[in-house]
Amino acid sequence: GENVEQHPSTLSVQEGDSAVIKCTYSDSASNYFPWYKQELGKRPQLIIDIRSNVGEKKDQRIAVTLNKTAKHFSLHITETQPEDSAVYFCAARNYGGSQGNLIFGKGTKLSVKP
Amino acid sequence: DAGVIQSPRHEVTEMGQEVTLRCKPISGHNSLFWYRQTMMRGLELLIYFNNNVPIDDSGMPEDRFSAKMPNASFSTLKIQPSEPRDSAVYFCASSLGAGFNTGELFFGEGSRLTVL
């Protein structure tokens, strides 16, 4: 089955700096890669996703890149703000066949210092 | 829509007791997922239903865990007997379909289980 590795597990940046979180996946058939943000005590919520037919996607201060050959994808947050502090999870999903489940990485705790 | 609704939000029980967690997915969603979250293991997929049918239950830890989805608007996750190592936050999530053009999982608020 799919295995998703996420690095780093913790990341601390100064407000205004950029943050990058990286993930690798094992199943070359995976074709959907979302990122979820989980604030303390809250539920995970989707912030951005990318599909295998796209190499990069941007939404304001966040962007995601995908390298299918290397089987890795990354989340980039620019001009970080204190409210970006949260745990971020990457995930991978294969819509083909009978497997539609979403496998998550272990998460990255991002702290943005004012 | 009220989103995915889970109950109870918090449960404290003693080892050996039966625990039942409940989930109401978003109306119209036909995929439902149960995840368990712990500090050590992160978000683990326990079981996934599509159109009320269990598709992948390989994440269910052992026979003490069982899940059902009797209809499109209700699912349960049962632990019997419960053990302290089952203490975690259990999330239910739903999504619309399982095809390539769908994807976003909507999570419930979670059920925080503490087994003493």
Side-chain angles (χ1 to χ4, degrees), chain A residues 36 38 43 51 95 101-102, chain B residues 35 37 98 100 102-103 109:
Chain A
Y36 283 77
Q38 186 178 27
R43 74 186 87 186
R51 301 180 192 275
Y95 281 104
N101 50 341
L102 198 63
Chain B
Y35 286 90
Q37 186 174 37
F100 189 73
T102 61
E109 299 271 17

Side-chain angles (χ1 to χ4, degrees), chain B residues 26-63:
Chain B
I26 292 173
S27 178
H29 283 191
N30 60 357
S31 293
L32 184 140
F33 306 76
W34 282 100
Y35 286 90
R36 175 172 69 177
Q37 186 174 37
T38 60
M39 287 294 293
M40 291 296 296
R41 301 172 71 92
L43 271 166
E44 299 176 274
L45 177 67
L46 300 179
I47 187 168
Y48 149 56
F49 293 86
N50 187 241
N51 292 323
N52 313 337
V53 176
I55 302 299
D56 182 2
D57 65 355
S58 58
M60 295 287 263
E62 49 200 270
D63 291 346

Side-chain angles (χ1 to χ4, degrees), chain B residues 48-113:
Chain B
Y48 149 56
F49 293 86
N50 187 241
N51 292 323
N52 313 337
V53 176
I55 302 299
D56 182 2
D57 65 355
S58 58
M60 295 287 263
E62 49 200 270
D63 291 346
R64 297 185 298 107
F65 285 67
S66 61
K68 294 182 180 179
M69 192 165 186
N71 57 62
S73 59
F74 184 65
S75 177
T76 60
L77 178 68
K78 187 173 292 187
I79 308 172
Q80 166 64 14
S82 58
E83 296 181 3
R85 62 192 167 121
D86 301 331
S87 297
V89 178
Y90 291 81
F91 284 102
C92 175
S94 70
S95 72
L96 177 61
F100 189 73
N101 290 320
T102 61
E104 183 175 359
L105 256 62
F106 292 84
F107 284 82
E109 299 271 17
S111 293
R112 181 176 294 277
L113 172 66

Side-chain angles (χ1 to χ4, degrees), chain A residues 79-112:
Chain A
E79 300 172 28
T80 54
Q81 301 168 2
E83 52 264 39
D84 294 330
S85 297
V87 179
Y88 291 81
F89 293 93
C90 62
R93 186 172 186 175
N94 175 12
Y95 281 104
S98 64
Q99 294 302 314
N101 50 341
L102 198 63
I103 303 301
F104 285 87
K106 289 278 195 292
T108 297
K109 184 177 180 181
L110 174 65
S111 300
V112 180

Side-chain angles (χ1 to χ4, degrees), chain A residues 3 7 22 24 28 33 47 78 88 92 94-96:
Chain A
N3 182 50
H7 300 279
K22 299 181 179 181
T24 60
S28 56
F33 308 92
I47 55 170
T78 58
Y88 291 81
N94 175 12
Y95 281 104

